[in-house]
Structures are given as C-alpha cells and as structure tokens.
Amino acid sequence: MKVLIFPDAERADDHVAGLLCQEVAAKPSAVLGLATGGTMERVYARVVDRATAQGLSFRDVTSFNLDEYWRVPPHHPASYAFYMAERMFRPLDMDPGKCHLPDGLAPDPEDEAERYEAAIVAAGGLDLQLMGLGLNGHIGFNEPTSSFGSRTRIKTLAESTRTANRPYFDTSDAIPGFAITMGIQTILEARQCVLLATGSAKARAVAAMVEGPMAAICPASALQMHRCVTVVLDRAAASELALYDYYQSVHPDGAPARVP
Ligand code: F6R
C-alpha cells in the first residue's frame, strides 16, 4: 500500500482529484469505479474544476459506481444516481450511456447483481476504483464480515451506516436498510485502487485497514492484498497509524518517494 499523508483534507482531496484527471488524460476511454458520500463530494467538485481548467474531456469515460440503495428511485435526491448526475455526470458532460450504477429498482436483486458484474467485464474491467471508507471499515457497502471473495450483491446496511447516511434523507423518509454493492472481490479486480479518508472520525478504521490483521471484521483490510493501492489521508485520519513516521519519511506530506 502506498500511504500518503497530507497536512489537511483540502490537499488530500485535491491529490485524489488529480489522480482521477491524470488517469483520464492518459486514457480518455478509462473505466472508472466511482464512489459517493460526503468525502467524494469535495473530490468531484475539484475534478470538475480541474477538467474545465485543463479542457479535459470525460466524454469517452465509462463509469461504474460502487453501490446504490435498494428501492430508492433514481430521481430521489438521496439516491446515488441523483448524486452522481448532479456532481459528475452532468457537469462533466459524461455520456449517460456509459455511466452505470446498480439499479435499485430492479425486479430481482440477484439478476441485477449478475447483470452489473457482466457489464463491468464487458467494459474490460475497472482501470481505477475510487473509494471512501466507512466508520466501520466498509468499502462500498461491504459491511463488516463481508466475504473477501464477495461479488456484487444485495447487502443489509449496518446500523452505523444508516445513521451516517440519515442526513441525506428527509425526516419523513425511511432510511434504506439495503443496498446493491460491488463485492470485495469485484473491487480487488480493479487494476488500481485509490482510497480517500479524512478527519479524525476515520482514524480507527484507517489503522485497521492499513495495519490491522487482514480480517473480514474490517472489510477495507482486504486491500492489503491488492498490488496497486494508494491510500490518501489527512493527518487527522492518519493519527492512529503506528507507523505514521515511516509513511511520512517515504512520502513527506504526500510527496512522491525519492529513490536515490
Ligand atoms: C459510497 C460508499 C461508501 C462511502 C463511505 C464513506 O458509495 O461506497 O463506502 O464511501 O461510507 O462515506 P463518507 O464519505 O460519507 O464518510
């Protein structure tokens, strides 16, 4: 794992936005795995700014989101389809035919999960999978004890996940209890993974992911098996890492490693 610790969240967000733009500049038809959540809102705003400033086109990009709530319609402002359209797909003029999310209204979750997996394979697999980190160590909606061999499927959301997502729903809305999510194995097959976590609330999950034993109780720890993962943190999220000084010595404040 490459662990980059930036002095603050702004610089961490900006670095991740830069990685996404670099990927698309190098391969305009890149297949991106995308995430939602509060962390990514700031990243996508920066991606849009950078792409506009650089004249970088996302028109040929194909994207697959990690997850979507089950039975929340795409026009609902808390759905991930709505979130992505607002923050990435429309502002970057992405081709709607190339932007994929699991269908939370599909008649059968198992068929939908199979269809989604097949669509990722048909697109040639994921070049870069972007991820946030749940307070409980989830990636996508692979909640603790998810199998490391899991593929796209319907998952029951943990109570802490439902609480964290409550602010996105109206008080009159029922908070969804299920989502369709890419599996951990699906994520591990991406050619490159980038995970962003900021703020002290994520520090415990970050330490378990990077340094803890690889164990299903922290689904993100499965990333220890991937050969090309970049973990982007601010100092607060990195604060519980036992080897903090080591990571900083290799990449001071997120700078590239200097090999003599
Ligand atoms: C969202 C997703 C989740 C979030 C995670 C962090 O598509 O897959 O794993 O990335 O819950 O969410 P925030 O950024 O809101 O703390």
Side-chain angles (χ1 to χ4, degrees):
M1 276 182 176
K2 188 195 261 189
V3 179
L4 306 180
I5 305 170
F6 289 85
D8 50 48
E10 289 68 30
R11 275 175 268 197
D13 299 343
D14 205 49
H15 185 77
V16 171
L19 291 178
L20 272 191
C21 289
Q22 262 171 38
E23 180 71 24
V24 174
K27 184 178 176 188
S29 62
V31 181
L32 302 180
L34 298 175
T36 58
T39 312
M40 294 305 150
E41 279 183 39
R42 308 184 315 253
V43 173
Y44 295 149
R46 285 177 151 79
V47 169
V48 171
D49 287 350
R50 273 177 179 256
T52 310
Q54 296 168 13
L56 181 65
S57 170
F58 274 61
R59 195 65 196 167
D60 294 331
V61 166
T62 297
S63 69
F64 288 91
N65 266 78
L66 280 168
D67 37 33
E68 178 60 286
Y69 293 118
W70 185 241
R71 295 289 175 250
V72 176
H75 57 79
H76 191 293
S79 75
Y80 289 159
F82 190 94
Y83 171 115
M84 291 305 299
E86 291 275 292
R87 293 170 176 84
M88 276 284 273
F89 302 159
R90 263 204 299 275
L92 289 172
D93 191 29
M94 291 174 70
D95 179 350
K98 293 194 170 93
C99 299
H100 308 273
L101 289 101
D103 178 2
L105 298 183
D108 181 81
E110 282 180 26
D111 290 350
E112 174 55 12
E114 259 182 54
R115 184 199 65 80
Y116 204 63
E117 285 279 331
I120 295 172
V121 172
L126 302 165
D127 289 311
L128 186 155
Q129 178 64 58
L130 178 63
M131 277 166 280
L133 180 65
L135 293 170
N136 62 3
H138 72 209
I139 44 176
F141 277 135
N142 294 287
E143 301 288 22
T145 71
S146 288
S147 160
F148 283 6
S150 55
R151 296 213 160 266
T152 304
R153 68 216 182 286
I154 192 161
K155 274 299 284 183
T156 305
L157 300 179
E159 210 39 50
S160 64
T161 302
R162 297 182 73 210
T163 305
N165 293 340
R166 191 175 297 277
Y168 297 100
F169 289 85
D170 280 344
T171 41
S172 56
D173 284 334
I175 310 300
F178 301 89
I180 297 201
T181 179
M182 277 186 206
I184 295 179
Q185 185 64 40
T186 320
I187 292 169
L188 291 177
E189 285 171 10
R191 287 181 270 282
Q192 191 190 156
C193 290
V194 174
L195 185 143
L196 172 64
T198 56
S200 57
K202 299 279 171 79
R204 207 160 55 105
V206 166
M209 164 179 69
V210 177
E211 297 175 337
M214 222 167 54
I217 197 71
C218 177
S221 67
L223 294 174
Q224 292 175 22
M225 276 195 302
H226 196 285
R227 61 200 288 267
C228 187
V229 182
T230 306
V231 175
V232 181
L233 307 169
D234 64 355
R235 286 185 188 156
S239 60
E240 292 194 28
L241 287 169
L243 301 189
Y244 182 101
D245 293 341
Y246 172 70
Y247 310 126
Q248 277 289 34
S249 72
V250 180
H251 297 285
D253 289 341
R258 284 203 300 169
V259 182

